Amino acid sequence: MIINNCKKIVGGSGEGPAIVTAQPINFLAMVDPKTGMITDPKHDLHNKSIKGAVLIFPFAVGSSVGAYAIYSLREYGTAPTAVVCVKADITTSSGCAIADIPVVNLPVGAPVIKQGAIARVDADAGKIIVKD
Amino acid sequence: LQLTRDEEEALAGKNGEALASAYRILVAIGEATGAQKLVPIKWAHVSGVNYNTIGDAGAQFLDKFSRTAKVAVRTTVNPMGYDRSHPEDISSRFQEKQSSILKSYERMGVTPSFTCTPYEVFSIPQKGTAVSFAESNAAVFSNSLLGLMTNKESALSALASSVTGKAPLSDLRMEEARNPTVGIESAYEFGNELDYGLLGYFTGKVVKDSSVAFGGISRLSTIEAKALSAAIGTSGSCGMFTLGDAKEKISFGKKEAKKVMDELNTAEEGDIITLGSPQLGMNELDLLARLSEGKKFRKRCIIFCSRAIHDQAAKIGLAGKLESSGAEFMCDSCTCLTPYVSNEKYDSVVSNSVKGAYYLNNSNKVKVALKDFRTIVREYVE
């Protein structure tokens, strides 16, 4: 499956298993930078790691310092390889810009990407390729 | 997003790596918010000062960044992790790490304000002025009550605006986004600042737009507006509110307020009382002093405020009154993520702040008994 017309927010490309949530993420309060694990028991990604994954989520919420939390993931080697948002927010965009993590927005009406499916995000081409 | 030739060159690295990074950030957030160009800003307020929030990676980033970057506009900064005049409980390791971060910001030429309420400390530019505020309560408060125009910036995007003097012209920097289409209709009897915190936290969760209207509320005190702004900023992406009606309506009542309480109110009692998230201002200190006059706190009570507010309060005898009731002041820091309020020392705390409760529960990992100012005084002052 190929999803075209993804808006490029931060350029580059990355590949990995898709980790998908419909819930927003607070990067400062919910993610352990040393492991990349989501630590909030109320989040549906609780105890899952975003390390090496293509992280697919609506947008970030909460602390403005979340941008540094994203940069920390990069420094600890626990960052996602690419980020796909419904609507990328300022925290995600700025953090990923400094951490060199490609970011795209999904086009309206994009098909659902399954949990764990191997996805390749090519932000410069505005494209996500999902292996079936 | 269209950059000018100068901006393109800076992005390509003509003026050094730090400015190139700053423009990379501005381009990313400009694309994300649908901006067509960058515009000058008059004031940047930067978060990411407390070592507990940005960690080693953040400290190293700032150390490198500050070697070549200088602020281009007035730049105020958020609280750090502790009060340097009260280093007693703070490990020497934490002090060293914090000191490295402060040196980086000093090198860049920021105003060492260490406040999350710059709107209570500094002179306010005229309405309609574009600014770049990272601290979420400051962004919401300034958009909603002061008529300043800022998006809900991140620590890094406000830093990028500080050193370039520019920000994307988009979203809440445009009139269109400042007229809410979604409104919260309150069928709720608001008795105190905590109630407005509950409303704000609920609002942040349900409103995905950049602005929201509150119906059924005709006026707000500064204390209430601060609590509301801080809570909106904590749970969501909404960056501004107005009072009045909007097309689409979502209702807020007892049931919704209770749901927020069920999430954040995780203890009945606390080992200490911690006030100041956002840092307390003169209004709040005055209220607290009047409520506790001639009496004593029977638990340790820490008041977090900015150095500037503390010094003003000390000058008119207000700080002394509170201290004679047993309250302690911690300046330059705040409730959230400070080593003063760690789970090694305390199981639970009492606070009136919904924002504080969120971070105390999730980041400091201590339980929180949420109570409003008057209830705290009634139960813990005698």
Side-chain angles (χ1 to χ4, degrees), chain B residues 2-109:
Chain B
Q2 286 290 320
L3 296 183
T4 64
R5 219 172 116 191
D6 286 352
E7 291 164 352
E8 286 284 3
E9 286 175 356
L11 176 66
K14 191 185 164 200
N15 304 329
E17 178 48 34
L19 271 174
S21 313
Y23 276 101
R24 269 205 302 281
I25 292 169
L26 294 181
V27 168
I29 66 167
E31 293 295 348
T33 56
Q36 306 206 327
K37 63 173 182 174
L38 303 179
V39 288
I41 56 141
K42 284 267 162 52
W43 181 3
H45 181 79
V46 171
S47 63
V49 184
N50 182 349
Y51 171 65
N52 265 355
T53 63
I54 67 169
D56 291 323
Q60 282 154 20
F61 170 83
L62 282 171
D63 181 68
K64 186 166 170 235
F65 188 81
S66 64
R67 301 283 163 178
T68 53
K70 291 280 168 288
V71 303
V73 290
R74 172 164 86 178
T75 301
T76 48
V77 293
N78 242 16
M80 61 170 118
Y82 75 111
D83 181 339
R84 284 171 293 179
S85 54
H86 291 282
E88 302 87 57
D89 284 355
I90 309 296
S91 73
S92 54
R93 180 174 176 276
F94 187 94
Q95 292 186 42
E96 280 163 29
K97 299 283 188 183
Q98 184 64 77
S99 163
S100 148
I101 296 168
L102 299 187
K103 280 199 189 108
S104 298
Y105 281 117
E106 267 168 34
R107 239 188 327 263
M108 290 173 50

Side-chain angles (χ1 to χ4, degrees), chain B residues 154-170:
Chain B
S154 78
L156 288 170
S157 70
L159 184 69
S161 288
S162 161
V163 300
T164 58
K166 291 174 188 188
L169 179 60
S170 58

Side-chain angles (χ1 to χ4, degrees), chain A residues 7 26 62-64 68 90 93-94, chain B residues 31-32 47 134 154-155 157 234 359:
Chain A
K7 182 176 168 69
N26 182 329
S63 178
S64 59
Y68 278 104
I90 290 175
S93 317
S94 59
Chain B
E31 293 295 348
S47 63
S154 78
S157 70
T234 300
Y359 286 102

Side-chain angles (χ1 to χ4, degrees), chain B residues 142-218:
Chain B
S142 302
N143 275 324
S144 312
L145 288 108
L146 307 175
L148 300 181
M149 297 174 98
T150 181
N151 288 334
K152 203 175 159 233
E153 298 295 340
S154 78
L156 288 170
S157 70
L159 184 69
S161 288
S162 161
V163 300
T164 58
K166 291 174 188 188
L169 179 60
S170 58
D171 203 16
L172 291 172
R173 291 197 188 89
M174 317 257 283
E175 280 304 329
E176 203 189 335
R178 299 172 70 90
N179 292 313
T181 54
V182 179
I184 306 285
E185 275 301 308
S186 296
Y188 187 81
E189 213 168 298
F190 292 95
N192 54 59
E193 76 287 351
L194 174 57
D195 290 330
Y196 287 99
L198 302 178
L199 169 66
Y201 193 80
F202 168 79
T203 301
K205 283 208 168 178
V206 296
V207 175
K208 304 301 169 213
D209 290 1
S210 300
S211 62
V212 62
F214 288 117
I217 298 172
S218 54

